[in-house]
Amino acid sequence: MPDSCVYVNGETGQFWVIDYRLYDPDGDGQSKLDHVAAMLNGVIHSKQLPFTMVLMDSWYATQKLMGQIDQLEKLYYCPLKTNRRVDDSGGAVPYMRVVELVWSDEDLQQGKLVKIRGFPKDKKVKLFRVTVSTNRTEFVATNDLSQADTDVVQDVCGIRWKIEEFHRELKQLTGVEACQCRKARIQRNHIACALLVWSRLKTMADQSGRTIYQIKHGMLSDYLIEQLKHPSVQMSLA
């Protein structure tokens, strides 16, 4: 699957895929973090799209990328891996794993200021403990130090799942993973075509008020009905 940059309208829930990259370090020498940084710069300098915050998963929560977002004067919300080491004591005790932090009732409601190991000495972030499900908790870091409501953070992080929605739809409706060709160029063309198909289906779904699944299956149903009535290939029995 490509690394994708999804542009989300937080009020309407609509989203658009505005950029993507294919991970090929042997071909271009670029890491996944390099691709994300390039896409982020593209949104600012090439596409010039207005946005307030950047949402990403824990794999991308690096000092370099978070620092880049700081320099762009944008907000970020990203979960930290449970073994990430932080300090909430102001240097009074050694760094500890984020999962080992002690949370008061006030901390659970309003978050706490922490320093992430490896970050500049004067750089702190706000950390929130967010319950995702019965058996899952995320520790979400943000550079929005004025944020003081865990429920709001949970809602903001929920927007991040739009990219999972996109990946699920792309896999289930376009056959993006079904190409059997071995040449890299053909694979790239296949992925690009799959993204164009998804984009068209999504546009039709938004315009008609139906889901993208209803659009796709409706098209298949209409095609089968038409072929049964007026076959494009004449069949015969031997």
Side-chain angles (χ1 to χ4, degrees):
M1 291 297 293
D3 291 318
S4 308
C5 181
V6 175
Y7 190 69
V8 183
N9 184 319
E11 295 182 0
T12 66
Q14 290 180 294
F15 63 95
W16 302 263
V17 179
I18 58 174
D19 203 348
Y20 74 96
R21 294 289 191 278
L22 300 179
Y23 181 56
D24 182 22
D26 294 333
D28 57 23
Q30 299 291 301
S31 69
K32 285 182 173 288
L33 290 173
D34 292 331
H35 286 313
V36 172
M39 287 192 287
L40 184 57
N41 282 328
V43 175
I44 296 289
H45 302 298
S46 300
K47 299 177 177 63
Q48 298 182 355
L49 292 171
F51 67 97
T52 304
M53 64 185 67
V54 178
L55 307 177
M56 52 195 174
D57 65 27
S58 58
W59 200 92
Y60 299 102
T62 65
Q63 190 277 327
K64 183 177 180 180
L65 186 57
M66 294 159 82
Q68 179 183 357
I69 298 170
D70 274 330
Q71 291 179 352
L72 294 173
E73 298 183 346
K74 303 295 183 181
L75 301 178
Y76 59 73
Y77 285 80
C78 54
L80 301 180
K81 293 182 179 180
T82 55
N83 63 350
R84 197 72 175 268
R85 293 191 175 272
V86 300
D87 172 29
D88 65 346
S89 69
V93 298
Y95 286 96
M96 65 179 66
R97 295 189 305 156
V98 67
V99 73
E100 298 172 339
L101 291 175
V102 176
W103 295 78
S104 66
D105 290 339
E106 182 179 358
D107 292 337
L108 292 173
Q109 293 176 358
Q110 302 180 9
K112 62 166 67 185
L113 278 175
V114 302
K115 182 183 179 302
I116 304 174
R117 189 170 70 173
F119 276 48
K121 293 181 178 180
D122 59 345
K123 178 61 180 177
K124 290 189 175 182
V125 299
K126 202 73 177 288
L127 187 68
F128 293 84
R129 180 173 176 172
V130 176
T131 301
V132 179
S133 63
T134 305
N135 299 316
R136 183 180 173 189
T137 299
E138 285 188 341
F139 299 92
V140 179
T142 177
N143 58 347
D144 183 3
L145 303 185
S146 65
Q147 181 60 259
D149 191 330
T150 299
D151 291 336
V152 173
V153 174
Q154 187 169 20
D155 291 341
V156 169
C157 290
I159 299 173
R160 195 176 80 243
W161 295 107
K162 288 295 182 181
I163 198 165
E164 302 299 333
E165 180 181 333
F166 158 63
H167 284 157
R168 183 177 65 250
E169 292 172 350
L170 187 67
K171 290 178 182 178
Q172 295 178 351
L173 299 176
T174 71
V176 67
E177 296 179 315
C179 182
Q180 299 300 314
C181 298
R182 296 191 177 186
K183 288 187 176 180
R185 172 57 62 185
I186 299 176
Q187 287 280 357
R188 290 175 181 274
N189 290 343
H190 173 77
I191 293 171
C193 288
L195 285 163
L196 288 173
V197 169
W198 175 88
S199 180
R200 179 56 184 160
L201 290 173
K202 196 67 174 177
T203 298
M204 294 171 64
D206 290 340
Q207 291 174 345
S208 65
R210 291 183 289 172
T211 69
I212 192 171
Y213 293 94
Q214 290 172 328
I215 293 293
K216 173 65 181 289
H217 297 313
M219 294 171 65
L220 292 174
S221 178
D222 292 343
Y223 173 77
L224 289 174
I225 292 172
E226 180 63 24
Q227 287 299 305
L228 289 171
K229 291 180 178 179
H230 308 288
S232 59
V233 178
Q234 298 298 320
M235 308 296 290
S236 62
L237 294 176

